Amino acid sequence: MLRKVLKRILISIPVLVGVVLLIFIMLRIVPGDPVTTMMGEHVNPAVIEKISKEMGLDKPLYVQFLQYIAHALRGDFGTSYRLNRNVTKIILEAFPNTVKLSLLAAVVAWIIGIVAGIIAAVRQNKLLDRLFMGGALIGVSMPVFMTALVLQYLFAFKFKWFPVSGFDSFRAMILPAIVLGWNSAGSIARMTRSNLVEIMQNDFIRTARAKGLRERTVVYKHALKNALIPVVTLAGMQFSQVFAGAVLVETVFNWPGMGRLAYESILRKDYPTLLGILFCSVFVVIIANVLTDFAYRFLDPKMRVGRR
């Protein structure tokens, strides 16, 4: 198993390098000079040329990229243009906050999505089914920032159940986590319902019912285990979206994580910080996908038999 995990990670390295290369090129072709942004519009051109040379911005693009990858693989993402601090230290300060928020949002999405999907499947074409699937459709359709503003207005301004912003308590994490996980919960609920409804039509379910088993036992012991196998794959993919959606949520709720740091870096053309954040984000997404793949193999006996 360890050999397979290492093999998947090694296969993912070219993907990581390719994505970083694409982002690196896109940032370099964006209009605007980072040195001018950092120093001001009225700085002497000679000073701009000197600082650009010190930062290595005068070298060919491929040389800049190779140097960046060489340093990044050692954990050195350069120095922030905006804060004049080591980017690795900045990311290490913000990363735990984003991880906590993303994990809580993923838990919220999985719990709400799976529970809503099960209830909707059991109560197929009834009121609860329509209510839950309608809520899932809203969750999938509504943009994250709109969900954030609506829930922030209702539960922070009107009812005052949660803080408007901050990260100093678990209570302050609940509303951002719900907002971040709402979209994923809708997708998980819809897939759980459709898979469970399909599984419930199979012969082995009719056989279980014919043996006199209670409906609850049939659903939870026989049908649900098979229905959740594709949902695990979706949940892993949704975690990647949750991690990426943190940019908007952290900005709205003033959460000091990598999302807000990325937003501020984009505004100020802080390329080293932004590249470091994207590099770490792509790495986390690759690891999440690898773990999801092996979780799928663990849950599905046919996959394990096929690999022997």
Side-chain angles (χ1 to χ4, degrees), residues 30-53 55 57 81-82 267-271:
V30 169
D33 182 12
V35 178
T36 304
T37 304
M38 180 176 59
M39 302 296 296
E41 295 182 0
H42 304 291
V43 68
N44 193 313
V47 176
I48 295 177
E49 184 178 354
K50 180 182 178 182
I51 295 177
S52 298
K53 188 174 182 179
M55 291 181 172
L57 298 177
Y81 295 164
R82 179 173 62 93
L267 290 181
R268 293 168 176 80
K269 293 185 175 65
D270 190 353
Y271 295 152

Side-chain angles (χ1 to χ4, degrees), residues 15-285:
V15 178
L16 175 64
V17 175
V19 172
V20 173
L21 174 61
L22 180 62
I23 296 170
F24 190 89
I25 294 173
M26 291 176 65
L27 289 178
R28 288 299 188 270
I29 64 177
V30 169
D33 182 12
V35 178
T36 304
T37 304
M38 180 176 59
M39 302 296 296
E41 295 182 0
H42 304 291
V43 68
N44 193 313
V47 176
I48 295 177
E49 184 178 354
K50 180 182 178 182
I51 295 177
S52 298
K53 188 174 182 179
E54 291 175 354
M55 291 181 172
L57 298 177
D58 60 329
K59 297 180 181 178
L61 190 62
Y62 73 92
V63 175
Q64 295 183 43
F65 177 73
L66 292 176
Q67 289 180 344
Y68 178 80
I69 287 294
H71 287 86
L73 292 177
R74 297 198 302 265
D76 181 11
F77 296 108
T79 303
S80 169
Y81 295 164
R82 179 173 62 93
L83 301 175
N84 196 26
R85 291 180 56 201
N86 185 273
V87 172
T88 305
K89 293 182 179 178
I90 297 173
I91 292 175
L92 289 176
E93 292 173 0
F95 185 73
N97 296 327
T98 297
V99 170
K100 287 191 292 185
L101 181 60
S102 298
L103 288 177
L104 184 58
V107 171
V108 169
W110 296 339
I111 292 176
I112 294 177
I114 292 175
V115 171
I118 293 172
I119 296 174
V122 172
R123 301 290 182 181
Q124 185 181 1
N125 298 325
K126 295 182 180 179
L127 179 61
L128 283 178
D129 181 19
R130 300 181 189 280
L131 287 176
F132 282 133
M133 288 302 100
L137 182 60
I138 293 174
V140 173
S141 305
M142 184 177 291
V144 174
F145 72 91
M146 182 61 68
T147 305
L149 293 175
V150 170
L151 295 187
Q152 192 179 54
Y153 174 76
L154 289 176
F155 298 110
F157 284 102
K158 296 290 288 185
F159 301 127
K160 301 187 184 300
W161 292 352
F162 303 104
V164 177
S165 62
F167 70 107
D168 55 347
S169 66
F170 179 76
R171 185 165 164 262
M173 294 177 60
I174 295 176
L175 195 57
I178 292 174
V179 171
L180 193 54
W182 185 256
N183 183 276
S184 299
S187 300
I188 293 172
R190 291 169 66 87
M191 176 167 279
T192 303
R193 179 193 180 278
S194 63
N195 289 340
L196 193 54
V197 168
E198 182 179 353
I199 293 293
M200 294 291 286
Q201 308 300 321
N202 289 344
D203 292 337
F204 73 91
I205 297 296
R206 285 192 287 268
T207 302
R209 285 171 175 162
K211 290 180 179 180
L213 297 178
R214 294 190 304 172
E215 187 67 17
R216 180 177 298 180
T217 303
V218 172
V219 172
Y220 291 101
K221 187 175 180 180
H222 296 277
L224 186 59
K225 182 179 179 180
N226 293 278
L228 287 183
I229 291 175
V231 177
V232 170
T233 304
L234 177 65
M237 296 172 62
Q238 291 293 327
F239 180 77
S240 306
Q241 295 183 12
V242 165
F243 200 81
V247 175
L248 295 173
V249 175
E250 289 182 1
T251 302
V252 172
F253 288 94
N254 197 28
W255 186 270
M258 291 178 64
R260 197 183 74 176
L261 186 63
Y263 172 75
E264 294 173 351
S265 301
I266 293 171
L267 290 181
R268 293 168 176 80
K269 293 185 175 65
D270 190 353
Y271 295 152
T273 304
L274 185 58
L275 270 172
I277 293 170
L278 294 174
F279 188 98
C280 294
S281 300
V282 172
F283 181 78
V284 169
V285 169

Side-chain angles (χ1 to χ4, degrees), residues 5-23:
V5 172
L6 292 175
K7 182 179 178 181
R8 285 298 306 273
I9 293 176
L10 289 175
I11 293 174
S12 302
I13 290 177
V15 178
L16 175 64
V17 175
V19 172
V20 173
L21 174 61
L22 180 62
I23 296 170

